[in-house]
Amino acid sequence: MNRWYDKDKTLRTLLDSLKTMKRKPRDEICTQIIELIKDNQSNLIDEMVMDFPLELHQRRWYDKDPYLWLIFNGLSKASDDLLEKVKSYLKKKIELK
């Protein structure tokens, strides 16, 4: 794999777990992650929002949901500090196996 978050095993596992999560808890987690982004690097949202692909055939599982797309693409340009905050938040919300 060659995704931006593969270099951090814990972050990779946490973000990948969103794929199989039920919609309601995932949406709540997404809302909080977006808040973390806004509070720490608000420019990421502004930079990414206009780039959302409106095509019908998305390639990745998170491309179908604009909030997930925003999170994955925004965090790909996030500072290490913000990534650590997101990872810490996800650790509290997601039980790793």
Side-chain angles (χ1 to χ4, degrees):
M1 289 187 217
N2 202 14
R3 303 170 299 188
W4 65 266
Y5 54 94
D6 283 338
K7 63 185 175 188
D8 183 322
K9 183 180 177 195
T10 303
L11 185 60
R12 178 187 71 218
T13 302
L14 290 164
L15 289 174
D16 282 344
S17 70
L18 295 173
K19 183 177 183 179
T20 57
M21 189 177 285
K22 291 185 189 232
R23 184 162 188 97
K24 185 173 180 177
R26 184 179 71 206
D27 287 351
E28 291 171 7
I29 287 172
C30 287
T31 299
Q32 291 304 310
I33 292 173
I34 289 172
E35 287 302 313
L36 279 170
I37 294 171
K38 286 180 185 177
D39 291 345
N40 292 273
Q41 275 187 271
S42 60
N43 63 313
L44 290 178
I45 301 287
D46 297 336
E47 290 173 17
M48 300 306 302
V49 75
M50 295 307 291
D51 292 333
F52 181 72
L54 298 175
E55 63 194 47
L56 296 174
H57 304 289
Q58 293 91 4
R59 296 184 337 231
R60 298 161 300 212
W61 65 270
Y62 54 83
D63 286 343
K64 296 176 179 125
D65 181 305
Y67 296 107
L68 284 169
W69 182 90
L70 190 62
I71 288 167
F72 276 80
N73 286 283
L75 290 178
S76 72
K77 298 177 180 186
S79 67
D80 290 341
D81 183 53
L82 176 54
L83 290 176
E84 285 301 316
K85 288 177 181 178
V86 169
K87 187 166 58 171
S88 177
Y89 170 74
L90 288 172
K91 283 179 182 178
K92 294 175 189 170
K93 292 296 194 180
I94 298 172
E95 184 178 325
L96 294 180
K97 296 179 182 179

